[in-house]
Structure formats: structure tokens, C-alpha cells
Amino acid sequence: MLYQPGHGKFQVEDPAALLAELCQTVPATLVTHAAEGFRATILPMLFDPLDGPFGTLRGHLARGNPQWRDLGDAHGLAIFAGPDAYISPSWYAEKRLTGKVVPTWNYVTVQAHGLLSLRHEPEWLLAHVRRLVDRHEQGRPDPWSLDDAPDGYAETQVRAIVGFEFRINRLEAKRKLSQNRSEADIAGTIAGLHQGGSADLAVAALMIDEKNG
């Protein structure tokens, strides 16, 4: 279970919408368990929110990756991590008032639990890879297409992968963006993050969106 403090300020009202957003740009960490213990692989996935009560994720693994052998009718966990950043207590107005502050970490995450099933059909794999490529190539100045490969090349390459469908039966999400702090502390945190790198700026932007509702 994804830990949620009792005050509930970090809970996400529409986890599926956040999953759809994150799935467009970040890979998942797929975690499964077998007799040998836990396995985890980082990989991109496609999310169909209309397939099933909580939606379905689709992805593929290299055939050389032993994790795929754990997936037949097995339960799994897919973790999608959004922007995250360290939060220094020196940014808080409360530090100057009482000094009763500690460091923390702001982040956005979605955790999907579900049942996995394998897909070996070449037609399914080709269609899946095409959708995945098209999603990530769209908007590029010179987008690459599966059709740019020589005849028969893609068909040969998909023999080296195994597809899977991940039927979600529980979806949990969390946006920890200093919602439990005062307005002054939030303003100080945003200002502090603006002095950092791209990851810090991404969290600052999310905090501004959260603050503005």
C-alpha cells in the first residue's frame, strides 16, 4: 500500500488521469516476485484507461530478461515516478520563527497493482511497438517511424521481445508538494527550488499549479 498520512492532503482525486499523464513521458518500474525473489525492470508502457475498471497497461520485455517468465497469470506492481526534489528546511519561514523544521522530499508517484498476462503473437508485438514508437516520436522535427526500417527488419526484431498486458486492479497515487506547510513555507520552498536544476524547477512548477488549484 502507498503510505498516505492521516490528513490526506497528498491524495490524488483521479489517479488514472495522473497515470495517463506520467505514462506519456516517464518509464515504469515493473516489480514482480518469483521463487528467486523480486525482479524489477525499467521500461516504457502504454496505458488504456478504458480497458477494465482501472485500465490496462501494456509493455514488453527483452526475451533475454528472465523476468518475463514470472509474468504468466502473476501479480505485479508498476511504479511511475514523476518529478521529485529535496526540500531544505532553510527555505521555510518557520525556520526563522521556531527552528522546528526538518528536511523532506517532494515527489509525484503512481503505483498500479494488477494481474499480468503474456503476449507472444507477432501481430500484437508489432502493433504495440508501433504505438510506442509513434507516441515518443510525435512532435520531433524528423520523427522516426517503424516504416523507415528495411522490409522485414521489425518483424525480425520483435522475435527478441515478449509482450504483456497488465490489468490494473488497484491504483494509488500521491502528490507530496508541501501541501502540509504554511503559505509562507510554500513560497519559500518554491523560491528555493527556483535556484536549482531542471528537476527542482519541475517540482516548483507542480507546486505552483497545486497552490493555484
PDB file of all heavy atoms in Angstrom, residues 4 27 49 56 61-62 84 90 127-128 135 154 168 193 208:
ATOM      1  N   GLN A   4      -0.121   7.030   2.939  1.00  0.00           N
ATOM      2  CA  GLN A   4      -0.785   8.328   2.878  1.00  0.00           C
ATOM      3  C   GLN A   4      -0.995   8.813   4.313  1.00  0.00           C
ATOM      4  O   GLN A   4      -1.661   8.147   5.094  1.00  0.00           O
ATOM      5  CB  GLN A   4      -2.143   8.223   2.170  1.00  0.00           C
ATOM      6  CG  GLN A   4      -2.086   7.782   0.728  1.00  0.00           C
ATOM      7  CD  GLN A   4      -1.744   8.925  -0.226  1.00  0.00           C
ATOM      8  OE1 GLN A   4      -1.420  10.019   0.196  1.00  0.00           O
ATOM      9  NE2 GLN A   4      -1.808   8.661  -1.514  1.00  0.00           N
ATOM     10  N   PRO A  27       9.172   6.223 -17.858  1.00  0.00           N
ATOM     11  CA  PRO A  27       9.025   4.769 -17.840  1.00  0.00           C
ATOM     12  C   PRO A  27       8.510   4.299 -16.487  1.00  0.00           C
ATOM     13  O   PRO A  27       8.505   5.057 -15.509  1.00  0.00           O
ATOM     14  CB  PRO A  27      10.456   4.279 -18.082  1.00  0.00           C
ATOM     15  CG  PRO A  27      11.308   5.341 -17.457  1.00  0.00           C
ATOM     16  CD  PRO A  27      10.581   6.644 -17.707  1.00  0.00           C
ATOM     17  N   PRO A  49      -6.966   3.626 -20.495  1.00  0.00           N
ATOM     18  CA  PRO A  49      -7.834   3.835 -19.332  1.00  0.00           C
ATOM     19  C   PRO A  49      -9.217   3.225 -19.472  1.00  0.00           C
ATOM     20  O   PRO A  49      -9.950   3.107 -18.475  1.00  0.00           O
ATOM     21  CB  PRO A  49      -7.919   5.363 -19.234  1.00  0.00           C
ATOM     22  CG  PRO A  49      -7.702   5.840 -20.627  1.00  0.00           C
ATOM     23  CD  PRO A  49      -6.737   4.870 -21.245  1.00  0.00           C
ATOM     24  N   THR A  56      -5.718  -0.648 -18.328  1.00  0.00           N
ATOM     25  CA  THR A  56      -4.736  -1.688 -18.626  1.00  0.00           C
ATOM     26  C   THR A  56      -3.449  -1.056 -19.134  1.00  0.00           C
ATOM     27  O   THR A  56      -3.475  -0.157 -19.981  1.00  0.00           O
ATOM     28  CB  THR A  56      -5.280  -2.666 -19.683  1.00  0.00           C
ATOM     29  OG1 THR A  56      -6.422  -3.349 -19.143  1.00  0.00           O
ATOM     30  CG2 THR A  56      -4.230  -3.695 -20.079  1.00  0.00           C
ATOM     31  N   LEU A  61       9.178  -6.880 -22.711  1.00  0.00           N
ATOM     32  CA  LEU A  61      10.488  -7.141 -22.130  1.00  0.00           C
ATOM     33  C   LEU A  61      11.356  -7.859 -23.153  1.00  0.00           C
ATOM     34  O   LEU A  61      10.840  -8.570 -24.030  1.00  0.00           O
ATOM     35  CB  LEU A  61      10.363  -8.032 -20.888  1.00  0.00           C
ATOM     36  CG  LEU A  61       9.630  -7.447 -19.676  1.00  0.00           C
ATOM     37  CD1 LEU A  61       9.295  -8.563 -18.695  1.00  0.00           C
ATOM     38  CD2 LEU A  61      10.479  -6.386 -19.003  1.00  0.00           C
ATOM     39  N   ALA A  62      12.660  -7.690 -23.035  1.00  0.00           N
ATOM     40  CA  ALA A  62      13.576  -8.460 -23.869  1.00  0.00           C
ATOM     41  C   ALA A  62      13.427  -9.938 -23.532  1.00  0.00           C
ATOM     42  O   ALA A  62      13.284 -10.314 -22.362  1.00  0.00           O
ATOM     43  CB  ALA A  62      15.011  -8.006 -23.624  1.00  0.00           C
ATOM     44  N   ASP A  84      10.704  14.957  -8.747  1.00  0.00           N
ATOM     45  CA  ASP A  84      10.975  14.900  -7.316  1.00  0.00           C
ATOM     46  C   ASP A  84      12.149  15.814  -6.997  1.00  0.00           C
ATOM     47  O   ASP A  84      12.959  16.120  -7.870  1.00  0.00           O
ATOM     48  CB  ASP A  84      11.268  13.468  -6.867  1.00  0.00           C
ATOM     49  CG  ASP A  84      12.570  12.944  -7.439  1.00  0.00           C
ATOM     50  OD1 ASP A  84      12.578  12.460  -8.588  1.00  0.00           O
ATOM     51  OD2 ASP A  84      13.596  13.039  -6.736  1.00  0.00           O
ATOM     52  N   SER A  90      15.908  25.112   5.349  1.00  0.00           N
ATOM     53  CA  SER A  90      16.368  26.503   5.360  1.00  0.00           C
ATOM     54  C   SER A  90      15.466  27.407   4.522  1.00  0.00           C
ATOM     55  O   SER A  90      15.527  28.634   4.644  1.00  0.00           O
ATOM     56  CB  SER A  90      17.809  26.586   4.846  1.00  0.00           C
ATOM     57  OG  SER A  90      17.883  26.218   3.479  1.00  0.00           O
ATOM     58  N   ALA A 127       2.200  -4.232 -33.506  1.00  0.00           N
ATOM     59  CA  ALA A 127       1.262  -3.134 -33.287  1.00  0.00           C
ATOM     60  C   ALA A 127       1.622  -2.359 -32.019  1.00  0.00           C
ATOM     61  O   ALA A 127       1.565  -1.118 -31.986  1.00  0.00           O
ATOM     62  CB  ALA A 127      -0.160  -3.666 -33.196  1.00  0.00           C
ATOM     63  N   HIS A 128       2.019  -3.080 -30.986  1.00  0.00           N
ATOM     64  CA  HIS A 128       2.399  -2.439 -29.720  1.00  0.00           C
ATOM     65  C   HIS A 128       3.636  -1.565 -29.906  1.00  0.00           C
ATOM     66  O   HIS A 128       3.661  -0.401 -29.469  1.00  0.00           O
ATOM     67  CB  HIS A 128       2.668  -3.501 -28.654  1.00  0.00           C
ATOM     68  CG  HIS A 128       3.366  -2.972 -27.447  1.00  0.00           C
ATOM     69  ND1 HIS A 128       2.742  -2.168 -26.516  1.00  0.00           N
ATOM     70  CD2 HIS A 128       4.665  -3.099 -27.032  1.00  0.00           C
ATOM     71  CE1 HIS A 128       3.605  -1.837 -25.567  1.00  0.00           C
ATOM     72  NE2 HIS A 128       4.771  -2.376 -25.869  1.00  0.00           N
ATOM     73  N   ARG A 135       4.223   7.288 -30.275  1.00  0.00           N
ATOM     74  CA  ARG A 135       3.975   8.182 -29.144  1.00  0.00           C
ATOM     75  C   ARG A 135       5.203   9.014 -28.813  1.00  0.00           C
ATOM     76  O   ARG A 135       5.115  10.220 -28.572  1.00  0.00           O
ATOM     77  CB  ARG A 135       3.560   7.385 -27.912  1.00  0.00           C
ATOM     78  CG  ARG A 135       3.213   8.277 -26.719  1.00  0.00           C
ATOM     79  CD  ARG A 135       2.915   7.492 -25.473  1.00  0.00           C
ATOM     80  NE  ARG A 135       4.123   6.922 -24.880  1.00  0.00           N
ATOM     81  CZ  ARG A 135       4.105   6.146 -23.797  1.00  0.00           C
ATOM     82  NH1 ARG A 135       2.957   5.825 -23.225  1.00  0.00           N
ATOM     83  NH2 ARG A 135       5.232   5.677 -23.294  1.00  0.00           N
ATOM     84  N   ALA A 154      11.690  -5.116 -38.725  1.00  0.00           N
ATOM     85  CA  ALA A 154      10.917  -5.036 -37.493  1.00  0.00           C
ATOM     86  C   ALA A 154      10.355  -6.397 -37.106  1.00  0.00           C
ATOM     87  O   ALA A 154      10.340  -6.768 -35.923  1.00  0.00           O
ATOM     88  CB  ALA A 154       9.785  -4.021 -37.643  1.00  0.00           C
ATOM     89  N   ILE A 168      -5.031  -3.623 -14.354  1.00  0.00           N
ATOM     90  CA  ILE A 168      -4.930  -2.953 -13.064  1.00  0.00           C
ATOM     91  C   ILE A 168      -6.155  -3.259 -12.197  1.00  0.00           C
ATOM     92  O   ILE A 168      -7.294  -3.121 -12.638  1.00  0.00           O
ATOM     93  CB  ILE A 168      -4.804  -1.432 -13.263  1.00  0.00           C
ATOM     94  CG1 ILE A 168      -3.561  -1.103 -14.106  1.00  0.00           C
ATOM     95  CG2 ILE A 168      -4.729  -0.716 -11.919  1.00  0.00           C
ATOM     96  CD1 ILE A 168      -3.481   0.344 -14.524  1.00  0.00           C
ATOM     97  N   LEU A 193      13.612  26.262  -4.729  1.00  0.00           N
ATOM     98  CA  LEU A 193      13.699  25.329  -5.851  1.00  0.00           C
ATOM     99  C   LEU A 193      14.079  26.043  -7.143  1.00  0.00           C
ATOM    100  O   LEU A 193      14.740  25.467  -8.022  1.00  0.00           O
ATOM    101  CB  LEU A 193      12.372  24.592  -6.021  1.00  0.00           C
ATOM    102  CG  LEU A 193      12.049  23.547  -4.955  1.00  0.00           C
ATOM    103  CD1 LEU A 193      10.599  23.085  -5.076  1.00  0.00           C
ATOM    104  CD2 LEU A 193      12.989  22.341  -5.062  1.00  0.00           C
ATOM    105  N   ILE A 208       3.424  25.274  -7.819  1.00  0.00           N
ATOM    106  CA  ILE A 208       2.663  26.468  -8.220  1.00  0.00           C
ATOM    107  C   ILE A 208       1.278  26.065  -8.715  1.00  0.00           C
ATOM    108  O   ILE A 208       0.261  26.680  -8.366  1.00  0.00           O
ATOM    109  CB  ILE A 208       3.440  27.275  -9.278  1.00  0.00           C
ATOM    110  CG1 ILE A 208       4.698  27.875  -8.653  1.00  0.00           C
ATOM    111  CG2 ILE A 208       2.563  28.363  -9.880  1.00  0.00           C
ATOM    112  CD1 ILE A 208       5.647  28.493  -9.661  1.00  0.00           C
TER     113      ILE A 208
END
